[in-house]
Amino acid sequence: MQDITKNNFDFIRLLLAFIVFVGHLGALSDASQLEFLTNSPVEVAVFSFFIVSGFLIARSYERSSSLKSYIKKRINRIVPAYLLVVFLCTVLLSLVSTLPFSDYFGNVQVYKYFFWNSIFMNFIAPSLPGVFGNQAVNGALWTLKIEMCFYFAVPLIFLLFGKNNKYRNISLIVLYLLSLVFLNYFEMTGKSPIARQLPGSLCYFIGGMLIYFHFDKFIKYKNILFLIAIITVWIDLILHIKLFSPIMISIIVLYIAYSLKFLNNFGKYGDFTYGIYIFHFPIIRVFATLGLFANYNPFFMSFVCMLVVIGVGIASWHLYEKKFL
């Protein structure tokens, strides 16, 4: 049977982060030449992150020696770098604010931004005074509060249904279906931003968990499951409803994770994905604010922007994130 530790999750996460970066580049650059980049499937990438989390976090909890050990590992992975990007945005974006330094740091909105974003409540204070036309500073951070909720939900799920409880699968399927009802209701009523929040996104996370709990069977039948998943996702797209697609996208993501063995060592130089994800949004906005996409070749500046984002992600990992793990 295939070794669960030999996988392509490092490659998948980097690919998903790049998909999100490309989509945001098209949306935030204000360059008509780059508008086609908005076709990048950002939503699918974000939900795929949740699928990967469902698989890996369930595994992490089962392997942890104690609840304290599990929580410490999870918090150390997310919180330090998250607080770093919030702090750096609060301070450094004063350089691109239309307000003088004294007015900027004397504005209560600065401290509201820092406080609410530090506790993952980005939606309460998404902007800084005079920065990016008072638009959201870092629109990518909304997923992190959901990720933190997932971290705390896993021990609760195990507590309620047990690690080896025969009712666990039924319970997870019920939660999956309830999540789907919430997701589809708000999608159909034109309230997609609400649909993507909890509990709407829970169905993707549970998809990853279910595959983890049935890993051996998944590996045994992964090829036929992959074909069924591809066909079923298309059916959901045609019907404009998310009925089977969350669990089917989970199958596709995990199929990629445990195929293409040449990608197994993709993360041997470090895990830069998180840094790329949390820093890319404000970096793109700084480029746009400085007129770099408008005044220079937008394709060249997109490449430069990508290099900056990758560089920041690498630096974040080696100089900061790695020290907490």
Side-chain angles (χ1 to χ4, degrees):
M1 190 58 65
Q2 186 163 345
D3 184 353
I4 197 170
T5 62
K6 293 184 178 180
N7 53 63
N8 303 325
F9 285 122
D10 290 319
F11 167 75
I12 289 173
R13 285 187 297 229
L14 193 61
L15 175 63
L16 297 177
F18 182 74
I19 289 171
V20 174
F21 165 77
V22 168
H24 287 159
L25 183 64
L28 302 175
S29 62
D30 290 329
S32 58
Q33 299 96 319
L34 301 177
E35 194 173 335
F36 72 97
L37 296 178
T38 57
N39 293 314
S40 181
V42 172
E43 183 178 284
V44 174
V46 169
F47 285 146
S48 296
F49 272 123
F50 294 153
I51 291 166
V52 172
S53 290
F55 186 93
L56 294 179
I57 293 171
R59 178 169 171 256
S60 174
Y61 182 72
E62 276 205 327
R63 295 177 65 203
S64 295
S65 57
S66 66
L67 178 61
K68 181 180 178 181
S69 170
Y70 163 79
I71 291 175
K72 183 180 178 181
K73 285 187 293 185
R74 300 275 53 87
I75 288 178
N76 284 347
R77 184 66 192 100
I78 289 291
V79 175
Y82 177 88
L83 292 178
L84 176 66
V85 72
V86 171
F87 173 76
L88 290 178
C89 283
T90 303
V91 175
L92 296 182
L93 291 180
S94 62
L95 298 172
V96 295
S97 174
T98 55
L99 301 180
F101 282 163
S102 58
D103 292 346
Y104 177 85
F105 287 106
N107 193 308
V108 69
Q109 182 62 25
V110 171
Y111 306 99
K112 284 183 177 179
Y113 173 86
F114 181 74
F115 173 76
W116 289 112
N117 281 265
S118 294
I119 60 172
F120 296 89
M121 298 296 180
N122 323 88
F123 59 93
I124 295 178
S127 61
L128 285 165
V131 175
F132 308 148
N134 294 319
Q135 295 178 313
V137 168
N138 198 340
L141 296 186
W142 71 271
T143 63
L144 275 301
K145 66 179 181 296
I146 295 176
E147 190 79 4
M148 289 296 290
C149 289
F150 287 154
Y151 287 176
F152 292 108
V154 167
L156 184 61
I157 289 171
F158 276 101
L159 176 66
L160 292 175
F161 309 126
K163 287 189 175 183
N164 299 299
N165 194 310
K166 63 180 180 180
Y167 299 113
R168 183 184 57 195
N169 292 332
I170 296 173
S171 302
L172 286 175
I173 291 169
V174 170
L175 288 174
Y176 174 85
L177 294 174
L178 291 174
S179 173
L180 276 183
V181 170
F182 180 94
L183 177 66
N184 283 289
Y185 172 78
F186 285 102
E187 286 274 4
M188 290 176 177
T189 54
K191 298 176 181 176
S192 293
I194 296 176
R196 292 194 293 266
Q197 303 295 327
L198 283 173
S201 54
L202 183 62
C203 53
Y204 293 92
F205 185 79
I206 288 176
M209 288 184 71
L210 284 170
I211 292 176
Y212 170 73
F213 292 136
H214 300 277
F215 181 73
D216 290 345
K217 289 182 180 178
F218 169 76
I219 292 300
K220 184 177 180 180
Y221 300 109
K222 68 174 184 175
N223 291 328
I224 186 65
L225 286 172
F226 177 73
L227 291 175
I228 293 171
I230 293 292
I231 295 169
T232 310
V233 168
W234 275 109
I235 293 172
D236 273 17
L237 287 172
I238 293 169
L239 297 177
H240 299 289
I241 186 171
K242 291 183 173 74
L243 186 58
F244 303 106
S245 53
I247 190 66
M248 294 303 161
I249 293 174
S250 301
I251 290 171
I252 293 168
V253 170
L254 271 300
Y255 176 87
I256 296 170
Y258 287 96
S259 303
L260 308 173
K261 292 182 180 180
F262 66 92
L263 295 172
N264 282 179
N265 295 318
F266 199 82
K268 63 181 178 180
Y269 298 112
D271 183 4
F272 318 132
T273 304
Y274 187 44
I276 289 172
Y277 183 81
I278 62 176
F279 281 102
H280 79 275
F281 199 98
I283 290 174
I284 295 171
R285 286 226 133 133
V286 167
F287 269 63
T289 299
L290 297 177
L292 299 180
F293 296 115
N295 298 324
Y296 301 93
N297 185 297
F299 296 102
F300 176 72
M301 293 316 302
S302 295
F303 179 70
V304 174
C305 184
M306 181 183 70
L307 293 181
V308 171
V309 168
I310 292 173
V312 170
I314 292 172
S316 176
W317 170 256
H318 284 294
L319 303 178
Y320 189 73
E321 296 172 55
K322 192 163 65 172
K323 296 180 180 179
F324 293 92
L325 302 177

